[in-house]
Amino acid sequence: MSEPLTHRHWAALAVPKVAPVIGTSTVLILGRIWNANGAEHSAGNAALMVALAAGAATAGAFAAAGHGGGDGVLAGTAFATAGALALAGVAGYADGWSLPILLWSVATAVAYGIAARYWRTDRRDATAHHRQTEVRREGHAHVERVEALRAGAQIEAARTGAAYAEQLATALITRAALPSYDPQAITRAGLPELPSAEKQLK
């Protein structure tokens, strides 16, 4: 059971690391397929991709400037889309591999640069959450230890009280059973009368 869990954990860590290069490589491959199917030196297709990339970049700029709630994820998605469209347009329009590969390298480097920022933020959040969890766990453990000590002290006090009561009852019964015991002699001596064993037991 531990081996599949280890594989899943490894996959969960590895997939985000290779996602940027997979994304840019997929766009490059699709652009070259498009190039082989008639997009090479096609002004109309190039103009379409330029317009789409410019539109996505403009949307990203508006999102980054605070319009629409200033959503950073939306801005990042829009800029990523603009870059992907630009890469696809160049890969589809160019007649060789030099320019598409160069643009793919730049796009991949930029994608990793942006992703690294989010990875650092996620790692910082995960570390802070782990630290808070440890603090809460230590607090609960301390409370449990204090309660266990308190309960143990109460049990010990009750046990001691019960033992004392038993010893007192035994002493009273033993005193009453003595043949020379005279409770009236104590009263005559001016001392307060001691309670009888029956009263003590009640």
Side-chain angles (χ1 to χ4, degrees):
M1 297 227 5
S2 61
E3 186 174 354
L5 288 175
T6 303
H7 285 308
R8 283 200 295 270
H9 180 67
W10 179 86
L13 291 175
V15 168
K17 305 299 183 184
V18 299
V21 69
I22 290 176
T24 54
S25 299
T26 302
V27 172
L28 175 64
I29 292 169
L30 292 176
R32 294 312 292 176
I33 292 173
W34 187 33
N35 173 278
N37 285 279
E40 184 176 351
H41 295 296
S42 172
N45 290 332
L48 175 63
M49 297 308 290
V50 168
L52 291 175
T58 303
F62 272 99
H67 299 285
D71 190 352
V73 176
L74 179 61
T77 303
F79 283 127
T81 303
L85 291 171
L87 174 59
V90 172
Y93 184 82
D95 55 358
W97 279 91
S98 300
L99 184 58
I101 290 295
L102 176 62
L103 189 57
W104 170 84
S105 302
V106 173
T108 302
V110 171
Y112 272 105
I114 295 173
R117 177 184 174 187
Y118 289 104
W119 292 337
R120 284 194 300 270
T121 302
D122 290 341
R123 188 164 51 249
R124 192 181 307 119
D125 293 342
T127 303
H129 176 71
H130 178 70
R131 192 170 296 132
Q132 291 175 357
T133 302
E134 288 296 325
V135 169
R136 284 196 298 268
R137 186 179 295 121
E138 287 295 326
H140 291 318
H142 176 70
V143 171
E144 290 175 359
R145 285 194 296 269
V146 170
E147 291 298 327
L149 290 174
R150 182 178 300 159
Q154 291 175 349
I155 292 171
E156 187 62 28
R159 186 180 295 125
T160 303
Y164 174 75
E166 182 180 357
Q167 291 171 0
L168 179 61
T170 303
L172 291 173
I173 293 172
T174 304
R175 183 191 66 177
L178 293 174
S180 60
Y181 173 68
D182 184 9
Q184 297 300 325
I186 298 176
T187 304
R188 287 194 298 270
L191 297 176
E193 180 183 0
L194 295 176
S196 64
E198 291 79 5
K199 290 182 179 180
Q200 288 290 338
L201 290 175
K202 289 180 182 179

